[in-house]
Amino acid sequence: DAKTTQPNSMESNEEEPVHLPCNHSTISGTDYIHWYRQLPSQGPEYVIHGLTSNVNNRMASLAIAEDRKSSTLILHRATLRDAAVYYCILRDHGSGGGADGLTFGKGTHLIIQP
Amino acid sequence: DTGVSQDPRHKITKRGQNVTFRCDPISEHNRLYWYRQTLGQGPEFLTYFQNEAQLEKSRLLSDRFSAERPKGSFSTLEIQRTEQGDSAMYLCASSKPRGQGIDTQYFGPGTRLTVL
């Protein structure tokens, strides 16, 4: 899976929007962009994924740049429960792809101030 | 609760001892993954099963590590002759069969191993 680059940490205030960036300049045409997060003392949990178009679900929104070399995870109204490490992961879903493990980086440690 | 369970949640052992961890995936998921996570790092992939077949092993999985999934349901991860460097969180995840959409992985709570 191609490499992603994320800031080590970000800080935001409760009830404000949070924009978590991810750079993936070597993304291939069959790579999906996945986001997982890991709350303290828990296993990672799936947040959202996308290929080309922006995506929304009940947890977050994913904005994908037109050239797909970067993306942004948007938490519309952060709460204290959103404090976690957020991982941006590329996942090849081309022919024969998507069968192996996820490649996590260090992710972005999101701190939410009350 | 994702539906993936792991047992035990915590294990403290002395160097040189053998340990075994168990993972029970979501019942309809045929894929099962093991990861290891050390402090301050993201999870690292160890191995992957599709049904009972072990299809991939990371270079991180030394000869002292062995994983099984005998009936395609639960899985065990055994570490023989533990070393202090094996201290980590061991995470299990499962996902749906290929062809049923994007293979979102559902993670268990992990087993924290401390080797003294």
Side-chain angles (χ1 to χ4, degrees):
Chain A
D1 290 331
K3 187 175 178 180
T4 63
T5 304
Q6 300 177 253
N8 289 333
S9 65
M10 289 185 65
E11 199 167 312
S12 181
N13 295 320
E14 199 175 8
E15 299 187 5
E16 289 186 357
V18 179
H19 291 234
L20 297 165
C22 180
N23 287 322
H24 29 79
S25 58
T26 59
I27 191 170
S28 74
T30 53
D31 281 334
Y32 277 73
I33 303 158
H34 289 242
W35 284 80
Y36 282 75
R37 72 179 185 180
Q38 188 170 21
L39 280 65
S41 302
Q42 295 188 26
E45 66 172 341
Y46 167 81
V47 177
I48 200 167
H49 76 272
L51 181 61
T52 56
S53 303
N54 294 345
V55 185
N56 299 298
N57 67 19
R58 65 175 182 81
M59 288 181 71
S61 295
L62 177 59
I64 302 172
E66 198 168 329
D67 63 5
R68 301 210 323 126
K69 293 185 176 181
S70 65
S71 60
T72 302
L73 180 71
I74 303 166
L75 306 179
H76 294 286
R77 198 160 165 266
T79 71
L80 295 176
R81 289 173 296 189
D82 291 319
V85 179
Y86 287 78
Y87 298 99
C88 170
I89 299 167
L90 299 185
R91 192 95 165 109
D92 182 7
H93 287 275
S95 174
D100 56 3
L102 297 169
T103 301
F104 290 83
K106 290 191 175 182
T108 296
H109 184 197
L110 177 62
I111 299 164
I112 305 294
Q113 297 289 355
Chain B
D1 183 1
T2 63
V4 178
S5 61
Q6 293 187 246
D7 184 69
R9 295 291 306 276
H10 303 273
K11 178 71 177 177
I12 299 174
T13 191
K14 292 183 179 179
R15 189 176 52 188
Q17 298 294 306
N18 299 343
V19 294
T20 301
F21 310 139
R22 177 179 170 127
C23 171
D24 286 87
I26 294 171
S27 58
E28 63 266 29
H29 287 181
N30 74 335
R31 295 179 168 189
L32 187 146
Y33 306 80
W34 284 99
Y35 294 81
R36 181 176 69 186
Q37 185 174 26
T38 54
L39 203 61
Q41 305 294 319
E44 296 171 295
F45 169 71
L46 291 178
T47 190
Y48 151 68
F49 289 85
Q50 182 164 295
N51 299 312
E52 65 275 8
Q54 189 173 15
L55 296 185
E56 187 169 350
K57 291 194 284 188
S58 159
R59 288 171 296 177
L60 294 174
L61 211 66
S62 76
D63 292 344
R64 296 184 296 106
F65 288 68
S66 62
E68 293 183 344
R69 195 181 181 199
K71 296 184 180 179
S73 57
F74 73 92
S75 175
T76 58
L77 177 68
E78 180 183 16
I79 308 174
Q80 296 182 327
R81 305 180 304 280
T82 52
E83 301 172 355
Q84 288 183 327
D86 296 331
S87 295
M89 176 76 82
Y90 290 85
L91 293 158
C92 173
S94 68
S95 68
K96 290 181 180 179
R98 187 170 177 78
Q100 293 189 15
I102 298 295
D103 61 333
T104 298
Q105 294 187 19
Y106 295 82
F107 284 80
T111 294
R112 181 166 295 285
L113 172 66
T114 302
V115 181
L116 301 176

